[in-house]
Amino acid sequence: MLEGPTRLGSVLFDTVQAMPGKPAGTLLRLAAFATDPSGGNPAGVWLGDVLPSDEEMLRVAAEVGYSETAFLAPDESEEVGRFRVRYFSPLAEVPFCGHATIASGVAIAERGIERGGDPAAPIELVFVTNGGPVAVTVAPGPDGLPRATLTSVEPWVRDPDPDLLARTLALLDWRSDELDPDLPPAVAFAGAKHLVIAVRTMATLERLAYPFEDLKALMIEYDLTTVQLVWREAPDRFRARDPFPVGGVVEDPATGAAAAALGAYLRARGEITAPASFEIVQGVEMGRPSRLTVSIVAGEAGVRVSGNAVPI
């Protein structure tokens, strides 16, 4: 049962009362990849000593109503800063969620956990996800606000099944000649699978409408988390829109997992070479502008995604 909101530090949270056989925890609400709570992607962050049951996590995620809620508890290693993390949309568990990871890192920083007494010291965390361990670092940004950086699991990039691409384009009502020939479609993974489709013009990206249940069924068939639709505005700047019907929402305003997958895709194609970084602007059409910074580091298999998060 969720009680009324309370404020701890600068993070708004609900105390989740313990019920018989159910662990108690703290539920926080933050907007990730933004410095204004009216922007970014809202995420729930549940912190406790022991994770609830699958049924309870799904119930809480549905009650929160955001695209994802992250559930964190210390993992079995008992190492400081190491957490078992699971992510739930209102409809189902998802293997990885970037914006909820960023929100979780900032939430831990805001609560003064793992700092070792030095408010300026970076916080080094490890989130053990279903897809593997994800390193998270939180440190004050130039504006003094906490900024989290996740490093994804080792990614991969593959050509899409022709059937998947053809059916997706048909559902989007997009023609193949509207796609960017320099950035061919691909399926990319950096914790979750995404179909990456780049278009020639912003006008095509602005024209986003699709039959919800049909695209949802297709994505479930191919085990996709989102469809990452992008337009390259400049060499170091992309605009993005991410349909997310499998999570119960038409569109995601900021998608950290897809951002990492896009970074892996661009690296695999030789479009970027380490060290390199670029920005993704997402959520503008939804009225929730978000900014995600993606970077690759020489000798590092994972892709880094950075952003702010603020309490809602």
Side-chain angles (χ1 to χ4, degrees):
M1 180 178 79
L2 303 186
E3 290 195 329
T6 310
R7 190 168 289 277
L8 178 61
S10 63
V11 176
L12 191 69
F13 71 93
D14 291 309
T15 299
V16 182
Q17 289 279 40
M19 298 186 203
K22 298 179 181 179
T26 298
L27 181 65
L28 307 96
R29 294 171 171 84
L30 300 95
F33 297 115
T35 56
D36 184 328
S38 65
N41 196 353
V45 178
W46 187 99
L47 302 171
D49 293 328
V50 179
L51 291 181
S53 67
D54 290 12
E55 294 77 14
E56 180 66 4
M57 287 189 281
L58 184 59
R59 185 195 66 78
V60 171
E63 189 168 339
V64 170
Y66 296 154
S67 58
E68 280 102 358
T69 294
F71 295 82
L72 295 86
D75 84 339
E76 296 178 352
S77 72
E78 299 184 354
E79 294 179 21
V80 174
R82 191 176 177 94
F83 295 84
R84 177 69 171 107
V85 186
R86 294 177 67 183
Y87 306 92
F88 281 77
S89 79
L91 298 180
E93 184 172 13
V94 296
F96 178 66
C97 174
H99 83 276
T101 296
I102 295 295
S104 297
V106 170
I108 290 171
E110 287 284 296
R111 299 186 77 219
I113 300 175
E114 316 298 354
R115 279 196 185 277
D118 181 357
I123 298 174
E124 302 289 344
L125 307 168
V126 175
F127 291 172
V128 181
T129 74
N130 287 356
V134 173
V136 179
T137 301
V138 188
D143 54 7
L145 296 174
R147 185 172 176 84
T149 298
L150 67 86
T151 301
S152 77
V153 298
E154 184 169 357
W156 53 256
V157 180
R158 300 172 183 165
D159 291 335
D161 186 303
D163 173 73
L164 167 63
L165 179 59
R167 290 165 63 190
T168 301
L169 291 178
L171 291 173
L172 293 172
D173 194 24
W174 287 3
R175 303 186 313 272
S176 59
D177 63 0
E178 293 179 295
L179 306 188
D180 186 340
D182 295 328
L183 298 172
V187 173
F189 170 89
K193 289 169 61 177
H194 306 267
L195 175 61
V196 179
I197 301 177
V199 295
R200 291 176 181 265
T201 69
M202 184 64 201
T204 301
L205 195 63
E206 289 174 341
R207 198 181 79 241
L208 178 60
Y210 64 88
F212 187 89
E213 292 298 332
D214 291 345
L215 185 58
K216 176 183 175 182
L218 178 61
M219 292 173 67
I220 291 172
E221 180 181 343
Y222 281 91
D223 190 29
L224 297 176
T225 298
T226 74
V227 180
Q228 170 85 320
L229 307 174
V230 300
W231 171 61
R232 182 158 55 182
E233 183 177 2
D236 60 352
R237 183 182 170 95
F238 285 79
R239 292 289 297 270
R241 301 185 73 175
D242 281 62
F244 186 38
V246 296
V249 297
V250 173
E251 184 177 355
D252 212 21
T255 317
L262 180 62
Y265 164 82
L266 294 173
R267 180 175 61 185
R269 287 195 50 78
E271 297 286 341
I272 56 175
T273 304
S277 64
F278 62 92
E279 181 181 61
I280 297 174
V281 177
Q282 190 177 338
V284 175
E285 295 77 12
M286 303 176 63
R288 298 198 66 92
S290 308
R291 293 182 181 273
L292 304 82
T293 302
V294 183
S295 55
I296 59 170
V297 176
E300 188 171 84
V303 177
R304 298 185 182 188
V305 179
S306 304
N308 297 97
V310 292
I312 297 173

